[in-house]
Amino acid sequence: MDLYKKSVAELIDLLRKKEVKPSEIIESIKSRTSSIEPKIESYVTDLTDEALEYGRKLDDELIKLKEIPVLFGIPIAIKDNISTKNIRTTCSSKILENYIPPFDATVIEKLKENRYIITGKTNLDEFAMGSSTENSAFFVTKNPWDLERVPGGSSGGSAAAVSAGLVPAALGSDTGGSIRQPAAFCGVVGLKPTYGRVSRYGLVAFASSLDQIGTFTRTVEDAAIILNVISGKDEKDSTSANKEVPDFTKYIGKGVKGIKIGIPEEFFVEGLDPKIKEMVMNSAKLLEKEGAELVSISMPTTKYAIEAYYIIAPSEASSNLARYDSVRYGYRTSEYSDLEEMYSKSRDEGFGAEVKRRIMLGTYSLSSGYYDAYYLKAQKVRTLIYKDFINAFKEVDVILTPTTPDVAFKIGEKVDDPIQMYLSDIFTVSVNMAGVPGISVPCGFKDGLPVGLQLIGKPFDEGTILQVADTFTKVKDFSKEFPDI
Ligand code: GLN
């Protein structure tokens, strides 16, 4: 039995029936990882040895425990910008290369209470800034479907690991598309919950009003299972929402009869690859055949989302990243003559080019004299984008769009052109600007490369997007397709 090919739900079932032991799951994953990982490079820190040791401990517990928690013995990889106690958390940055957090992020605490098994910390664009994982200070992760291409970003390591069968699930973070875009490029399911649904405590901050932790899985049901565990109000994160958490797995298998799906014309414009457009429209028709109603809608302000995002996100980043002063933790330059030089040399040597670009852009937009023209204006646009979504949701239950304008690009193709790189998030950023939930599911292949379909939901209505996504993936199921590596 190739256990590494099983979904989370399948593993839960096998564990409950005592047909497999946690250590057997990890053994399968470990051998898959040792043969495939050198080609993909999804992990900054590979913890499969430790995972096996822990798995063996869980074998004994499995016999004794009367009630086993949901994610007991389930292997999950964690993006390396989520704090893990006593495990290095680098954000793929030189500045945090040797940083070992003394605490766990709230999501990690919740997974630990469930006795999940961490398999490693995954590679990302430095501080989650990027769309290809090429901004990692350490190495570039490869797309498992074509090793010459990027896995997307910033959560490229998590997406590649799930896609290549190194692990059935992973956590990522999504500020402007960093879960959904790499999920689309790697052919897996990527869920960004509503802002506030999942605690951000312990997620290293990039742009705090946009950042949200979410999941990578092979099936929609698995996303629902993990979302059940990581959601909820957290006293340690004042922006986490005090909203009831429904059982998201109840939305699985419900079908789409009577569900209204909005198709926004602004998302099907120039720049979108014609083949992808066709595949996404066919996906919508398939849902119509299943009983959903398709409605054309207009969201006029969403076309300004990229511009406004690239003012707001860098502004928040410039403030958040001011903490890396090399005093209490993080990289410190070896030679300096005074405090000022220590700060500036440490930051100059510790941060990569994209991070510096964002800090400069953000500092500029926030400076007096430019604040009103840039930051304030961008915030006003953000409100209009939010209103576009709220208006659309008066008419429809979910919104359907492509996840990305094209498939995974070649490594190196866009590194020298930041604007082109930024445009790969054109369909995902508005979702973060509005704070609503979004999911990307595979809807087919173009020239052998996966294509993603995005479903966007009302605030705190992850249930309905999971329901529609589940129906779609049951008709078009790619969850058992693994790249030939
Ligand atoms: N690619 C976008 C950026 O570079 C989004 C990143 C993210 O979602 N973390 O900012």
Side-chain angles (χ1 to χ4, degrees), residues 131-142:
S131 310
S132 66
T133 319
E134 290 166 295
N135 294 336
S136 165
F138 308 137
F139 47 83
V140 183
T141 299
K142 283 89 192 164

Side-chain angles (χ1 to χ4, degrees), residues 378-416:
Q379 289 291 22
K380 288 178 180 167
V381 172
R382 184 174 185 176
T383 304
L384 294 176
I385 293 170
Y386 175 75
K387 284 187 177 159
D388 262 10
F389 276 98
I390 297 309
N391 281 336
F393 285 129
K394 283 182 191 148
E395 269 184 79
V396 298
D397 303 303
V398 302
I399 296 168
L400 179 150
T401 76
T403 309
T404 56
D406 208 342
V407 289
F409 45 88
K410 286 240 162 87
I411 292 171
E413 193 180 317
K414 298 191 184 188
V415 273
D416 297 325

Side-chain angles (χ1 to χ4, degrees), residues 339-358:
L339 186 64
E340 177 114 9
E341 199 188 1
M342 182 185 89
Y343 289 155
S344 73
K345 271 186 81 188
S346 300
R347 286 168 68 83
D348 182 30
E349 292 161 19
F351 288 136
E354 183 62 27
V355 174
K356 285 178 191 161
R357 183 180 294 127
R358 306 271 177 127

Side-chain angles (χ1 to χ4, degrees), residues 281-419:
M281 286 317 291
N282 286 342
S283 306
K285 283 183 202 133
L286 199 147
L287 285 164
E288 190 179 31
K289 247 175 92 190
E290 292 297 305
E293 185 189 331
L294 304 184
V295 184
S296 289
I297 56 169
S298 172
M299 304 180 74
T301 334
T302 51
K303 60 174 171 287
Y304 304 115
I306 282 270
E307 287 86 342
Y309 170 87
Y310 276 99
I311 290 172
I312 292 172
S315 298
E316 293 186 22
S318 71
S319 162
N320 275 324
L321 270 59
R323 74 189 62 171
Y324 301 102
D325 57 8
S326 82
V327 175
R328 279 159 302 169
Y329 59 92
Y331 173 84
R332 184 183 295 178
T333 187
S334 51
E335 276 173 54
Y336 49 89
S337 48
D338 57 22
L339 186 64
E340 177 114 9
E341 199 188 1
M342 182 185 89
Y343 289 155
S344 73
K345 271 186 81 188
S346 300
R347 286 168 68 83
D348 182 30
E349 292 161 19
F351 288 136
E354 183 62 27
V355 174
K356 285 178 191 161
R357 183 180 294 127
R358 306 271 177 127
I359 292 173
M360 283 192 285
L361 273 174
T363 310
Y364 180 84
S365 325
L366 289 177
S367 56
S368 66
Y370 295 108
Y371 180 93
D372 288 358
Y374 295 106
Y375 185 74
L376 195 65
K377 184 98 162 245
Q379 289 291 22
K380 288 178 180 167
V381 172
R382 184 174 185 176
T383 304
L384 294 176
I385 293 170
Y386 175 75
K387 284 187 177 159
D388 262 10
F389 276 98
I390 297 309
N391 281 336
F393 285 129
K394 283 182 191 148
E395 269 184 79
V396 298
D397 303 303
V398 302
I399 296 168
L400 179 150
T401 76
T403 309
T404 56
D406 208 342
V407 289
F409 45 88
K410 286 240 162 87
I411 292 171
E413 193 180 317
K414 298 191 184 188
V415 273
D416 297 325
D417 190 347
I419 304 278

Side-chain angles (χ1 to χ4, degrees), residues 55-70:
R56 291 197 179 116
K57 270 198 201 134
L58 292 186
D59 289 356
D60 299 335
E61 275 194 47
L62 184 63
I63 306 167
K64 288 183 231 143
L65 278 181
K66 285 218 181 70
E67 238 177 78
I68 31 184
V70 189

